[in-house]
Amino acid sequence: MRTATISRSTSETSIDVTVNLDGTGVYTVSTGIGFFDHMLEQLSRHSLIDLDVKTIGDLHIDQHHTVEDTGIAIGEAVAKALGDKRGIRRYGDALSPMDETLTRVALDISGRPFLVWKTEFSQKKLGEMDTEMFEHWFHSFAQAAGITLHVETLYGQNNHHIAEAAFKGLARALRTAVEIDPRKADAIPSTKGML
């Protein structure tokens, strides 16, 4: 099993994350931000990556540190669980429809972190979550995981659907990318011999 646990403690947050890349999408998530919990649960369920997240953050200030540090910790856990990335498919992409919304997500577990974010929201909050924090979470996750990640909402109006389509799209793309390719299970998926 490809699993990893990350504990991250700063003066702003205390976070414990465990991932199992070969799981079934079982999750326990608690960040103190209800809508954010809902999105991380979608990430786990649709990627089939088991996810255990407990974040205690300085929410009396705002959500920035909680969301950012949770993204970093989950990204670090995924990177650690991948090890040398031997045998993975490496690339993944998904079209993620949710009612009137359609989002495209493509990623490369390249070791070269980068985020292209082409998603906008027409309201400032979903539940109690600041919508500006979604981009920041995806950026933090991509940086820590070493993933090149492109997220683009092709169209959509409902802000809940837009956010959820992005997380579900990431989940489906990640599910493909972390899978072991039975045709090359013993090889690093790069002509350089390392990722």
Side-chain angles (χ1 to χ4, degrees):
M1 288 285 200
R2 296 174 298 159
T3 63
T5 297
I6 295 291
S7 292
R8 178 183 172 86
S9 185
T10 71
S11 61
E12 299 164 341
T13 59
S14 176
I15 303 173
D16 292 298
V17 170
T18 299
V19 301
N20 176 3
L21 301 182
D22 301 307
T24 58
V26 174
Y27 54 81
T28 303
V29 177
S30 176
T31 66
I33 307 169
F35 194 87
F36 186 35
D37 289 356
H38 180 47
M39 293 300 98
L40 295 179
E41 290 164 359
Q42 298 300 324
L43 176 65
S44 173
R45 175 60 55 90
H46 294 283
S47 66
L48 298 183
I49 295 172
D50 293 347
L51 184 61
D52 190 343
V53 177
K54 183 172 184 178
T55 300
I56 299 170
D58 55 1
L59 292 175
H60 61 287
I61 295 175
D62 68 7
Q63 299 173 355
H64 189 101
H65 303 138
T66 297
V67 173
E68 176 180 56
D69 290 2
T70 301
I72 291 169
I74 294 172
E76 287 177 350
V78 168
K80 184 177 178 182
L82 283 167
D84 68 0
K85 305 177 186 73
R86 187 174 303 278
I88 64 168
R89 294 187 187 276
R90 179 178 164 177
Y91 295 94
D93 62 86
L95 284 172
S96 179
M98 188 162 185
D99 296 355
E100 85 300 341
T101 297
L102 183 63
T103 298
R104 176 173 50 212
V105 177
L107 63 83
D108 174 13
I109 303 176
S110 61
R112 296 185 309 276
F114 198 88
L115 174 67
V116 174
W117 178 261
K118 295 187 176 182
T119 295
E120 295 180 4
F121 296 93
S122 62
Q123 62 192 63
K124 292 184 178 181
K125 285 188 175 288
L126 281 168
E128 72 274 19
M129 183 159 181
D130 300 326
T131 53
E132 72 174 3
M133 293 312 302
F134 290 120
E135 179 179 4
H136 196 56
W137 183 87
F138 277 81
H139 178 264
S140 299
F141 170 76
Q143 287 291 312
I147 292 174
T148 300
L149 176 59
H150 294 244
V151 181
E152 181 178 16
T153 301
L154 301 177
Y155 44 83
Q157 295 179 337
N158 182 286
N159 287 265
H160 187 130
H161 296 165
I162 290 168
E164 194 159 332
F167 276 88
K168 286 179 175 176
L170 171 61
R172 296 295 300 196
L174 201 55
R175 177 178 171 177
T176 299
V178 304
E179 284 180 346
I180 299 299
D181 185 343
R183 295 173 63 193
K184 279 290 190 178
D186 62 340
I188 304 293
S190 172
T191 55
K192 291 181 282 197
M194 64 176 291
L195 284 170

